Amino acid sequence: MTTADRKPRVFSGIQPTSDSFHLGNYLGALRQWVAMQDTADALYCVVDQHAITVDHDPKVLHQRSRASAAQLLALGLDPERCTLFIQSQVPEHAMLAWILGTETGFGEASRMTQFKDKSAKQERTTVGLFTYPVLMAADILVYQTDQVPVGEDQRQHLELSRDLAGRFNGTYGDTFIVPEPYIVKETATIKDLAEPEKKMSKSSTSPRGCLYLLDEPNLMRKKIKSAVTDSGGEVRYDMDAKPGVSNLLNIYAALGETTVGKLEAEYAGKGYGDFKGDLADVVADALGPIAAKTREYLADKAELDRILTAGAEKARHLAARTIAKAYKRIGFYPPVAL
């Protein structure tokens, strides 16, 4: 099969930095991961190696990695239609990251905006955090990835991956596919329920600001009903003048598979109470089954580990071929098979 005949290969990863993904993760990226299984040769990864670039508890990291994988399966990732694995189970990521690190200029790495943002929030800044984008490039290039789903906050990292692939190819010979951005269907950014001027995040200053996929349904309803709205009771979309209700309209439209315009018409003449009560049910009905399914996967540790091991074996089969080629190009001896 030629490159033109096969499905495009897509790679994406998510960090296990909390006990649960939140609604912004789901609507902004993870729901698109599920859809891409049918149109791409998709590899999805829990990037636990990236998670240790900041202080962490090893036991908590291990638990969160398993919980992250269980949530991805509960959301609809199918091991028969995609490759799902834990990053640290595939050592070729780190092997390639070292090679790419020798191709990355210090100034080039220091310009990465996420390093500046994250290092400013920490007392101790590590070399690992500084070279985080190089490992991300290795994640992508080691699978000969054609397309990478990226949001605006990751676009700079993808450009580094493209630059490093082109640079290596130009110096040592054709080795890596130069990946292209995969533009997913545009989705509204989900805002904090308590502070709708901010993006929803696990670092929310209010416990009710972030809606987690593993929240109990009654807690989900409570968070929606107590979400900040705006003065006046009109259910109308205006992100500048009415950011609170506009954020809730975006959530309703996304989970209810409708449009903001239809919702505005439906709730014309009704108040926030009716709107938020109905939205609370929509959220609980949509996300409640995900939490239940996640618990089922976590309850069967042997089956979950079997799925992840099988995924890692598939991923290593692809990654090992790239490493063999890169090692030969760079002048290394080939890795010794175990």
Side-chain angles (χ1 to χ4, degrees), residues 279-313:
L279 174 56
D281 289 336
V282 168
V283 168
D285 290 345
L287 303 187
I290 295 171
K293 192 69 175 176
T294 298
R295 288 190 290 271
E296 289 180 19
Y297 279 109
L298 289 174
D300 192 345
K301 181 178 183 295
E303 175 60 11
L304 180 56
D305 288 348
R306 184 198 66 77
I307 291 171
L308 294 174
T309 299
E313 288 172 349

Side-chain angles (χ1 to χ4, degrees), residues 91 316 335-338:
R316 286 204 73 183
V336 176
L338 297 178

Side-chain angles (χ1 to χ4, degrees), residues 75-118:
L75 286 167
L77 292 192
D78 180 356
E80 299 299 320
R81 296 157 58 210
C82 71
T83 302
L84 174 65
F85 61 101
I86 306 293
Q87 182 187 29
S88 58
Q89 288 191 289
V90 183
E92 286 80 4
H93 288 246
M95 295 164 71
L96 183 56
W98 175 255
I99 293 174
L100 295 179
T102 67
E103 298 294 316
T104 307
F106 184 85
E108 193 173 31
S110 65
R111 288 192 292 272
M112 296 291 111
T113 55
Q114 284 211 1
F115 169 73
K116 296 176 183 177
D117 294 343
K118 290 184 177 181

Side-chain angles (χ1 to χ4, degrees), residues 11 17 73 75 88 119 160 174 212 237-238 251 253 258 277-278:
F11 174 88
T17 51
L73 291 166
L75 286 167
S88 58
S119 61
L160 177 64
D174 189 26
Y212 291 101
Y237 191 90
D238 185 334
I251 293 171
T258 183
D278 290 344

Side-chain angles (χ1 to χ4, degrees), residues 97-286:
W98 175 255
I99 293 174
L100 295 179
T102 67
E103 298 294 316
T104 307
F106 184 85
E108 193 173 31
S110 65
R111 288 192 292 272
M112 296 291 111
T113 55
Q114 284 211 1
F115 169 73
K116 296 176 183 177
D117 294 343
K118 290 184 177 181
S119 61
K121 299 174 183 177
Q122 298 185 160
E123 292 183 8
R124 185 177 71 97
T125 301
T126 67
V127 173
L129 182 61
F130 184 70
T131 58
Y132 176 110
V134 180
L135 177 57
M136 184 178 291
D139 297 336
I140 294 165
L141 300 182
V142 79
Y143 296 109
Q144 303 294 353
T145 301
D146 298 300
Q147 299 175 338
V148 183
V150 286
E152 201 55 46
D153 59 339
Q154 296 292 348
R155 189 174 294 275
Q156 188 185 37
H157 289 164
L158 177 59
E159 285 306 312
L160 177 64
S161 302
R162 289 172 49 81
D163 290 344
L164 291 176
R167 187 176 305 156
F168 191 98
N169 291 347
T171 303
Y172 300 106
D174 189 26
T175 307
F176 301 112
I177 288 176
V178 179
E180 297 289 340
Y182 179 95
I183 308 302
V184 298
K185 181 181 177 182
E186 185 175 353
T187 57
T189 299
I190 303 303
K191 303 292 187 177
D192 190 288
L193 298 178
E195 300 175 274
E197 69 279 1
K198 299 179 180 178
K199 185 178 178 180
M200 184 174 286
S201 167
K202 66 181 186 302
S203 59
S204 174
T205 56
S206 169
R208 62 188 178 90
C210 190
L211 192 61
Y212 291 101
L213 302 190
L214 300 187
D215 282 342
E216 291 293 335
N218 285 341
L219 179 56
M220 294 179 187
R221 290 187 174 92
K222 184 177 180 179
K223 287 182 177 180
I224 291 296
K225 290 180 179 179
S226 64
V228 168
T229 45
D230 315 281
S231 59
E234 185 182 7
V235 180
R236 177 173 58 83
Y237 191 90
D238 185 334
M239 210 65 205
D240 293 326
K242 299 170 74 68
V245 73
S246 297
N247 183 44
L248 297 181
L249 281 164
N250 283 331
I251 293 171
Y252 201 145
L255 292 179
E257 298 185 352
T258 183
T259 66
V260 168
K262 289 180 179 178
L263 290 170
E264 287 179 315
E266 182 179 347
Y267 288 94
K270 298 180 182 179
Y272 290 156
D274 289 336
F275 172 69
K276 290 168 78 174
D278 290 344
L279 174 56
D281 289 336
V282 168
V283 168
D285 290 345

